[in-house]
């Protein structure tokens, strides 16, 4: 048992962490595995040094840091049949951690910000808890047949830097980070979450599976330690985060490249407020700011699940005046949303569109871990219908926001968020169906 503990500690600590004289056989094994971040899964039961060295999973490709659970050129979530779920560094879906998106198709990124919340704070911890609960997510979508990990190279690259003491400065940091992503030709998915991806091939072109491999033995640094994040020119992005404020700077960056975008917005609230306590930027105002700056194609904006008490007798007047389609939760009760999503697909057409999913769009019976819960919301099954209904659209980004894990000790809200992110990954352009 002691050699196994030494091996795990040696892989989790930096190369020069100075462990006290580990046994030679274990040291040899760690060196041969290129210091992979995954603590090993023992496949052999013998206590001999040879069994220890051969009982650990090796990387799929040099520098991949992911155990080769399957024969594949892609990064694949490890099977719990081979690697125990509590084992390993906490990453999204237990995928490899990367310092950048070079050589990848899709990356998960967290945006741990909740400075814009108006009620219960805590969404800054959403990305971390979503990553922890995502250990339950497996390789294939058994319902739709989607095989994202057989189609795209996916990894987790950490968090965007934010300023917890200044919301305007945080918006600047997010916007500048996304501008670099967009300038490099990427599409985003966010752990808030946002996904950025450039997967859709141009007419007459086929998407190649050939990707540049990461440098052998490269060193990874947390993104949160970097004031400016540099991204690869060919990678989609999945971001996860905090409160809904972050959608505003992200759409600023997106619209600069694509022009005004369509929007499928799932939420209990329209988030089109003007000011609160004298401030124009907070989690209840991102889409009004987007309208004012011409970031949205207002005729292609659909808001689903809207409900709750209001400060005005006609709380949706502003949205209707802009041309938004507002679908109150009452219109969704006790029915499938597949017919609605067929109409939404027609409305979105082939132009660029964005998915923004606030977890409070769901009923608090299913997702209590959020800052501004409203009763009588959508069900998880309806959430799946909405996301799956976006398959085939020109998706240029996605996010999942407002998971505040401390209000749900069961972890079910974050688990639900992790699965919704997986569903978003499954509807990206370029994902094949088996």
């Amino acid at each position: 048992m002691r050699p196994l503990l030494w091996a795990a500690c040696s892989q989790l600590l930096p190369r020069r962490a100075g462990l006290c004289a580990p046994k030679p056989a274990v040291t040899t094994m760690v060196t041969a595995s290129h210091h992979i971040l995954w603590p090993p899964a023992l496949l052999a039961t013998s206590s001999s040094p040879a069994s220890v060295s051969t009982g650990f999973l090796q990387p799929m490709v040099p520098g991949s840091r992911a155990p080769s659970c399957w024969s594949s050129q892609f990064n694949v979530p490890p099977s719990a049949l081979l690697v125990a779920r509590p084992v390993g560094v906490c990453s999204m879906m237990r995928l490899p951690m990367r310092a950048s998106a070079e050589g990848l198709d899709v990356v998960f990124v967290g945006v741990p910000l909740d400075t814009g919340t108006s009620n219960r704070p805590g969404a800054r911890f959403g990305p971390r808890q979503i990553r922890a609960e995502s250990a339950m997510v497996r390789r294939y979508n058994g319902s739709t047949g989607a095989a994202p990990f057989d189609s795209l190279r996916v990894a987790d690259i950490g968090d965007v830097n934010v300023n917890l003491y200044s919301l305007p400065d945080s918006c600047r940091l997010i916007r500048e980070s996304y501008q670099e992503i967009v300038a490099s030709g990427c599409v985003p998915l966010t752990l808030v979450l946002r996904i950025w991806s450039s997967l859709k091939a141009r007419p007459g072109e086929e998407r190649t599976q050939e990707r540049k491999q990461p440098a052998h033995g490269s060193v990874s640094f947390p993104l949160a330690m970097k004031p400016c994040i540099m991204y690869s020119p060919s990678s989609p992005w999945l971001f996860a985060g905090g409160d809904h404020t972050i959608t505003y700077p992200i759409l600023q960056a997106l619209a600069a490249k694509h022009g005004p975008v369509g929007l499928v917005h799932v939420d209990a609230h329209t988030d089109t407020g003007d000011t609160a306590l004298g401030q124009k930027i907070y989690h209840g105002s991102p889409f009004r700011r987007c309208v004012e700056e011409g970031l949205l194609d207002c005729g292609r904006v659909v808001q689903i699940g809207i409900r709750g008490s209001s400060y005005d007798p006609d709380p949706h007047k502003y949205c209707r005046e802009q041309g938004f389609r507002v679908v109150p939760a009452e219109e969704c009760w006790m029915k499938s949303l597949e017919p609605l999503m067929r109409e939404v697909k027609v409305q979105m057409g082939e132009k660029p569109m964005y998915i923004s999913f606030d977890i409070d769009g769901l009923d608090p019976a299913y997702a209590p871990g959020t800052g501004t819960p409203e009763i009588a919301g959508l069900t998880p099954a309806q959430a799946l219908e909405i996301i799956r209904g976006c398959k085939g659209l020109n998706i240029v980004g996605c996010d999942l926001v407002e998971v505040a894990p401390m209000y749900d000790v069961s972890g079910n809200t974050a688990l639900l968020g992790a699965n919704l992110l997986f569903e978003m990954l499954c509807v990206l352009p370029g994902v094949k169906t088996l």
Side-chain angles (χ1 to χ4, degrees):
M1 188 65 186
R2 182 172 296 177
L4 298 182
L5 293 175
W6 276 116
C9 292
S10 298
Q11 293 181 30
L12 287 173
L13 293 175
R15 187 176 302 217
R16 302 184 184 273
L19 290 174
C20 307
K23 295 182 186 283
V26 176
T27 303
T28 301
M29 182 278 299
V30 174
T31 302
S33 63
H34 311 294
H35 296 267
I36 59 177
L37 291 177
W38 291 97
L42 185 61
L43 299 182
T45 58
S46 170
S47 59
S48 66
S51 296
V52 172
S53 63
T54 59
F56 293 97
L57 298 174
Q58 299 298 311
M60 283 184 283
V61 294
S64 75
R65 296 181 176 176
S68 55
C69 299
W70 298 276
S71 176
S72 172
Q73 62 175 308
F74 301 106
N75 296 328
V76 180
S79 169
L81 301 178
L82 297 175
V83 184
R85 285 197 175 99
V87 169
V89 172
C90 186
S91 67
M92 192 65 188
M93 301 178 192
R94 301 198 295 165
L95 291 164
M97 294 294 298
R98 288 279 185 263
S100 73
E102 183 178 359
L104 299 171
D105 296 313
V106 179
V107 294
F108 287 96
V109 182
V111 186
L113 178 71
D114 62 3
T115 316
T117 54
S118 60
N119 190 38
R120 305 189 301 198
R124 69 182 64 178
F125 302 112
R128 183 175 299 176
Q129 190 64 30
I130 289 171
R131 286 182 171 108
E133 298 296 338
S134 72
M136 278 292 293
V137 178
R138 302 170 183 87
R139 183 176 184 179
Y140 299 109
N141 190 320
S143 299
T144 66
F149 302 109
D150 291 79
S151 311
L152 313 170
R153 286 183 57 85
V154 189
D156 187 332
I157 63 167
D159 296 330
V160 169
N161 192 21
V162 295
N163 184 346
L164 296 178
Y165 306 110
S166 173
L167 190 56
D169 192 46
S170 286
C171 288
R172 177 188 62 82
L173 290 168
I174 297 168
R175 179 176 60 254
E176 290 176 356
S177 296
Y178 275 82
Q179 285 172 340
E180 293 178 5
I181 298 171
V182 173
S184 65
C186 298
V187 179
L189 262 175
T190 308
L191 287 175
V192 152
L193 247 195
R194 309 256 177 234
I195 300 173
W196 296 79
S197 165
S198 56
L199 299 174
K200 197 168 185 178
R202 290 187 289 271
E205 294 183 351
E206 292 184 1
R207 186 175 166 273
T208 178
Q209 301 293 355
E210 296 180 1
R211 298 289 173 183
K212 182 179 179 181
Q213 300 300 332
H216 188 65
S218 60
V219 180
S220 174
F221 299 94
L223 288 183
M225 301 292 289
K226 301 179 181 180
C228 182
I229 304 170
M230 300 302 294
Y231 298 102
S232 164
S234 60
S235 299
W237 305 78
L238 294 165
F239 292 80
D243 71 59
H244 222 151
T245 308
I246 69 162
T247 304
Y248 168 47
I250 290 173
L251 288 179
Q252 285 180 315
L254 269 178
K257 177 180 177 66
H258 300 285
V261 298
L263 175 69
V264 172
H265 173 209
V266 183
D267 205 322
H269 317 96
T270 62
D271 291 351
T272 54
D274 190 7
T275 62
L277 303 178
Q279 302 300 310
K280 296 181 76 69
I281 299 176
Y282 70 109
H283 76 158
S285 68
F287 298 116
R288 183 181 284 249
R289 303 286 86 85
C290 289
V291 169
E292 292 171 347
E293 297 184 18
L295 311 180
L296 295 175
D297 182 353
C298 294
R300 296 192 302 123
V301 174
V302 180
Q303 299 181 302
I304 305 171
I306 309 301
R307 63 191 188 279
S309 55
S310 65
Y311 297 114
D312 300 305
D314 188 3
H316 308 150
K317 180 181 178 181
Y318 175 85
C319 298
R320 292 196 305 271
E321 289 175 346
Q322 310 313 310
F324 294 5
R325 179 178 180 179
V326 178
V327 183
E330 289 85 349
E331 295 182 12
C332 303
W333 290 348
M334 309 299 181
K335 66 175 66 172
S336 169
L337 299 188
E338 287 185 352
L340 168 66
M341 293 311 297
R342 286 195 289 269
E343 296 175 3
V344 169
K345 290 188 73 170
V346 173
Q347 184 176 354
M348 292 295 141
E350 298 182 356
K351 296 180 180 179
M353 58 84 61
Y354 186 84
I355 301 173
S356 186
F357 201 116
D358 189 325
I359 201 70
D360 72 24
L362 302 182
D363 190 272
Y366 306 106
T370 191
T372 50
E374 304 283 359
I375 66 166
L378 304 177
T379 68
Q382 290 174 319
L384 296 186
E385 289 179 323
I386 293 170
I387 296 174
R388 292 174 183 177
C390 293
K391 177 72 173 178
L393 293 177
N394 185 7
I395 302 170
V396 296
C398 314
D399 67 62
L400 178 77
V401 298
E402 300 284 359
V403 172
M406 64 284 299
Y407 307 114
D408 181 6
V409 295
S410 72
N412 285 343
T413 305
L415 175 64
L416 181 54
N419 278 274
L420 294 179
L421 286 169
F422 174 67
E423 293 287 339
M424 293 178 188
L425 178 63
C426 289
V427 300
L428 282 181
V431 173
K432 63 185 178 183
T433 301
L434 301 181

